[in-house]
Amino acid sequence: MRILKILLVFVLFNFSGCTLFIKDNSAIKSSELSVILQRGKLVALTEVNSINYFIYKGEPMGFHFDLLQAYANHLGVSLELMTESDVETSLDMLENGEVDLLANNLTVTTERANRVSFSSPISQTRQVLVQRKPELSSQSKPVRNLTELGKKIIYVQKGTAASKRLKNLSEEIGSEIVVVELKNYDVDQLIELVANGEIDYTVCDEDVARVNAFYFSNIDIETPVSFEQNLAWAVSKKSSELLANLNEWLENFSKTAEFRIIRSKYFDNPFWAKRIVGELTHLRDGRISRFDEGFKKASNKIDWDWRLFAALVYNESRFKHDTESHKGAKGLMQFMPTTAQYFGIDHSTDPNTQINAGARYLNWLEQRFPDSTITQDQRLKFVLASYNAGIGHVIDARNLARKYGKNPDVWDDNVDYFILNKTRYYRDSIVRHGRLKGVETYRYVNKVFDTYNHYRNIIPE
């Protein structure tokens, strides 16, 4: 059946205290290095799976994610990530100027090289057949001779190197291999279907298969269907500066201890791999934490995206309902004692009550910014800054923006400037709430939206 589905009060001011931007779906126009540096942002496309990019216990991780973050840091720009599982769509997005860089385990082929420019190889791998072990399948022995694949049905991701390889193999063995290409399923899901007995075969990169084999002990991945192939990132044919810089960085970075640690973390640690693959199962079900239902109900009451609420809570407490900061803030929402007392909660209050109190406070803060001239995304940033630093400091920063020719209704590059620099302006006659080391608040707002964007990438609404 699953296969058929596949096809078809200012007392509340004080709280404890890599930028990812909300995605703009318009084309970025140019992906040349000079433009990226001027823009201050690298826009990259990857795929959600157990190797590339995923969320683990609320935190974004992944081999290609870590490499992308390292490269963005090298360039001195922020990183914006987009996700797409279909290879052809990904290539189209790169060619159309919607992204700067395609960062997948992309097999280097002549056909693709006619469309895009490949980086130096990130790694090498081969395609392998994923099947169940004989004692757990209808087969008396595993397929080892590729001629045995004739008349077999093999499910693969649409547009991948695995699909093309199987079609070529069908010609080589002189017997049709029935290749079913699935657009909306990632490789980890296909492997899980094999492990669960819902399909008999899939083909994928050996690296990904090996990570999954640590989790699914009943799968056999020992039959190669291709030679070793180079895997690389890709840029537009028009991005020669970016390609040259990327290749120089890859050559140097691949020799560092940092690169070896990153690679070992995702490819050579069975215990870690088991946890990752298990977590991805929860993510596909739309789960971020064990408190999601509480987040959804509370967010619905204040008309927030529950994933933004979850991102705030993650950055406050890492989803630990009984944690306490060095400043004395407690619980999931990290309320300071005066705030907790105001809402009638204490350190022993159950998580759902904490969540509801947090939602009530966020709603109270949002009502302090009723100006019709403030767009919703900017209002949310004012709310987040107020949650972290206290609303008084945000009011001061807005008043300073108004006085010194900035836009008091815009956080980015306007009000945030006076949050960052309040130690310079706190003696100004317009300031009512004293000094603030605003860098923490500035980073907090960016980090919550960073986390939120990751959750939007990976978790459906």
Side-chain angles (χ1 to χ4, degrees), residues 331-388:
L332 281 171
M333 308 303 303
Q334 287 292 277
F335 279 179
M336 292 295 285
T338 52
T339 309
Q341 184 178 13
Y342 181 86
F343 283 103
I345 64 174
D346 59 33
H347 67 280
S348 62
T349 303
D350 67 276
N352 280 331
T353 302
Q354 294 180 34
I355 291 168
N356 286 324
R360 286 164 55 202
Y361 183 61
L362 289 169
N363 187 55
W364 183 88
L365 288 173
E366 193 162 0
Q367 290 175 358
R368 307 282 81 76
F369 303 101
D371 317 48
S372 61
T373 53
I374 304 177
T375 62
Q376 183 60 12
D377 63 325
Q378 297 301 311
R379 182 178 288 104
L380 289 173
K381 292 180 180 182
F382 290 145
V383 171
L384 293 176
S386 301
Y387 195 96
N388 179 261

Side-chain angles (χ1 to χ4, degrees), residues 444-461:
Y444 175 83
V445 173
N446 287 337
K447 185 59 179 173
V448 171
F449 269 89
D450 177 340
T451 306
Y452 173 45
N453 215 22
H454 287 302
Y455 291 174
R456 293 200 310 165
N457 274 336
I458 295 174
I459 304 296
E461 287 190 71

Side-chain angles (χ1 to χ4, degrees), residues 176-449:
E176 182 186 9
I177 300 172
V178 181
V179 181
V180 179
E181 297 186 74
L182 300 177
K183 180 177 181 179
N184 296 318
Y185 270 64
D186 62 51
V187 63
D188 298 300
Q189 289 172 294
L190 294 177
I191 293 173
E192 184 178 356
L193 292 178
V194 173
N196 292 341
E198 298 181 61
I199 62 176
D200 290 324
Y201 306 102
T202 189
V203 169
C204 66
D205 291 345
E206 185 174 26
D207 288 344
V208 179
R210 200 161 296 284
V211 167
N212 276 269
F214 290 136
Y215 185 82
F216 297 110
S217 60
N218 65 331
I219 62 172
D220 180 291
I221 61 169
E222 301 305 318
T223 303
V225 299
S226 76
F227 297 109
E228 290 280 335
Q229 298 169 296
N230 285 327
L231 303 178
W233 289 355
V235 301
S236 166
K237 286 284 190 181
K238 301 176 183 178
S239 302
S240 56
E241 284 181 17
L242 177 60
L243 181 65
N245 182 276
L246 175 61
N247 283 338
E248 181 181 4
W249 177 78
L250 283 172
E251 181 179 357
N252 294 325
F253 189 74
S254 63
K255 299 173 184 176
T256 65
E258 183 179 355
F259 177 80
R260 291 192 293 273
I261 290 170
I262 291 173
R263 181 160 183 83
S264 177
K265 174 181 179 180
Y266 294 106
F267 293 101
D268 303 325
N269 189 332
F271 175 73
W272 178 242
K274 289 179 181 179
R275 299 179 73 173
I276 289 171
V277 176
E279 187 77 3
L280 280 174
T281 300
H282 297 312
L283 290 173
R284 285 196 290 269
D285 291 336
R287 286 180 282 170
I288 299 173
S289 78
R290 61 193 178 100
F291 303 113
D292 286 358
E293 286 307 309
F295 296 156
K296 291 175 182 178
K297 290 178 181 178
S299 298
N300 188 54
K301 293 176 182 177
I302 62 173
D303 198 26
W304 270 42
D305 185 330
W306 76 273
R307 296 166 299 180
L308 176 59
F309 193 101
L312 180 150
V313 176
Y314 174 76
N315 282 281
E316 287 291 337
S317 62
R318 297 301 190 266
F319 301 138
K320 297 176 182 178
H321 74 278
D322 55 356
T323 191
E324 180 175 355
S325 77
H326 67 281
K327 295 180 180 180
K330 296 180 180 180
L332 281 171
M333 308 303 303
Q334 287 292 277
F335 279 179
M336 292 295 285
T338 52
T339 309
Q341 184 178 13
Y342 181 86
F343 283 103
I345 64 174
D346 59 33
H347 67 280
S348 62
T349 303
D350 67 276
N352 280 331
T353 302
Q354 294 180 34
I355 291 168
N356 286 324
R360 286 164 55 202
Y361 183 61
L362 289 169
N363 187 55
W364 183 88
L365 288 173
E366 193 162 0
Q367 290 175 358
R368 307 282 81 76
F369 303 101
D371 317 48
S372 61
T373 53
I374 304 177
T375 62
Q376 183 60 12
D377 63 325
Q378 297 301 311
R379 182 178 288 104
L380 289 173
K381 292 180 180 182
F382 290 145
V383 171
L384 293 176
S386 301
Y387 195 96
N388 179 261
I391 194 172
H393 290 299
V394 177
I395 290 173
D396 280 347
R398 291 189 71 200
N399 288 335
L400 286 166
R402 186 178 290 108
K403 179 176 180 178
Y404 291 101
K406 295 276 190 176
N407 190 337
D409 296 335
V410 176
W411 172 261
D412 301 305
D413 299 320
N414 285 273
V415 176
D416 63 357
Y417 173 83
F418 295 99
I419 287 289
L420 273 171
N421 295 283
K422 202 177 183 199
T423 53
R424 291 173 49 193
Y425 289 91
Y426 79 99
R427 294 184 185 275
D428 194 292
S429 60
I430 206 169
V431 171
R432 294 287 182 268
H433 298 93
R435 298 184 62 172
L436 173 72
K437 292 183 178 179
V439 65
E440 177 187 338
T441 301
Y442 175 82
R443 290 173 178 169
Y444 175 83
V445 173
N446 287 337
K447 185 59 179 173
V448 171
F449 269 89

Side-chain angles (χ1 to χ4, degrees), residues 124-143:
Q124 290 80 35
T125 194
R126 59 183 181 173
Q127 306 282 317
V128 296
L129 181 71
V130 180
Q131 57 189 318
R132 285 184 305 286
K133 292 179 178 178
E135 62 270 21
L136 301 168
S137 72
S138 58
Q139 300 291 322
S140 59
K141 59 181 181 178
V143 171

Side-chain angles (χ1 to χ4, degrees), residues 79-181:
L79 173 65
E80 177 184 317
L81 265 183
M82 301 173 69
T83 58
E84 175 57 56
S85 61
D86 183 75
V87 176
E88 285 302 311
T89 302
S90 299
L91 293 170
D92 288 342
M93 292 175 69
L94 185 62
E95 290 182 297
N96 294 338
E98 297 175 58
V99 296
D100 300 315
L101 178 63
L102 179 53
N104 278 348
N105 278 333
L106 196 63
T107 305
V108 178
T109 66
T110 303
E111 181 181 352
R112 289 173 179 171
N114 290 329
R115 298 177 59 183
V116 299
S117 294
F118 284 106
S119 71
S120 300
I122 303 289
S123 61
Q124 290 80 35
T125 194
R126 59 183 181 173
Q127 306 282 317
V128 296
L129 181 71
V130 180
Q131 57 189 318
R132 285 184 305 286
K133 292 179 178 178
E135 62 270 21
L136 301 168
S137 72
S138 58
Q139 300 291 322
S140 59
K141 59 181 181 178
V143 171
R144 294 288 182 249
N145 188 327
L146 297 183
T147 60
E148 298 174 33
L149 292 177
K151 310 303 181 184
K152 297 289 194 298
I153 301 174
I154 303 180
Y155 294 83
V156 296
Q157 284 181 286
K158 185 178 182 296
T160 59
S163 174
K164 186 168 184 178
R165 175 57 193 143
L166 286 171
K167 291 173 183 177
N168 290 337
L169 181 60
S170 187
E171 289 289 327
E172 293 167 15
I173 66 175
S175 180
E176 182 186 9
I177 300 172
V178 181
V179 181
V180 179
E181 297 186 74

